[in-house]
Amino acid sequence: LDAVTYHILLSGKKFEVASGYQFEVSEYEHPPNDQCEDATPIASLPLSTYGTTAGATSDFGGIADLCGISVDSRGVWYTLVGDGKITRLEYSMQITGGRLDRELSVFTGSCSNLSCVKNTEGSGQYNTAAIYEFHALQDVTYYFLLSGKSFVVASGYQFEVSAYDHPLNDICDDATSITSLPLSTTGTT
């Protein structure tokens, strides 16, 4: 903020314990998709994109957690209009370590009235991605929030989105009949 002086106290837990320290101050631009209203639309699939959550501000203004997201969460937003296919989301962060988990949250509704679909986490300690697959209903707008589990988790990331058709025999009424044995077949689930 312009013309504001910030005073920062650096101290240890105990007065009698002195130690060395390293203090760094950084400044970041806000990502263009920092808030829900400025979400980056996903126009075509598959998508593989890179970005950063550095400079992102609080997603929900410190209100009680929404969809299991940490109150301190800060991240970036994307939107996708569903096409009736199975949609796969995969969110990876470059930062790793204990307590540095990444969160992938999916919403419907509107930015002023979000409805939680799912919040899933990937592990910072084991460097696993947050992954979620779901049936993206035709013409429904989905909002994706990519964030870290705590305020200090800001990092470069990779976000991948893909979609595929349901298998022809996805529901019981469309089951493939086995008319003779032995049977050998291939396909995808």
Side-chain angles (χ1 to χ4, degrees), residues 27-159:
E27 183 176 64
Y28 300 98
E29 295 292 326
H30 294 294
N33 55 345
D34 181 32
Q35 297 298 311
C36 181
E37 294 81 4
D38 300 316
T40 300
I42 299 171
S44 64
L45 296 178
L47 168 78
S48 181
T49 188
Y50 296 87
T52 184
T53 59
T57 57
S58 175
D59 294 307
F60 301 108
I63 62 171
D65 66 359
L66 176 66
C67 199
I69 300 167
S70 164
V71 173
D72 294 329
S73 170
R74 59 185 180 144
V76 294
W77 292 84
Y78 288 83
T79 61
L80 174 73
V81 176
D83 61 2
K85 294 183 178 184
I86 301 296
T87 301
R88 177 184 169 88
L89 311 172
E90 186 168 338
Y91 168 50
S92 303
M93 292 180 86
Q94 293 171 341
I95 193 170
T96 60
R99 294 191 217 135
L100 299 176
D101 294 341
R102 61 257 3 200
E103 291 185 314
L104 168 60
S105 307
V106 180
F107 301 92
T108 57
S110 65
C111 289
S112 61
N113 188 26
L114 292 170
S115 178
C116 176
V117 173
K118 177 73 173 176
N119 179 46
T120 188
E121 297 177 11
S123 170
Q125 182 173 354
Y126 300 106
N127 198 25
T128 58
I131 298 172
Y132 180 54
E133 287 190 354
F134 67 104
H135 177 202
L137 299 175
Q138 186 74 36
D139 299 325
V140 172
T141 300
Y142 293 90
Y143 298 85
F144 308 134
L145 172 61
L146 314 180
S147 62
K149 191 151 181 78
S150 69
F151 187 76
V152 299
V153 181
S155 172
Y157 65 83
Q158 181 178 9
F159 184 45

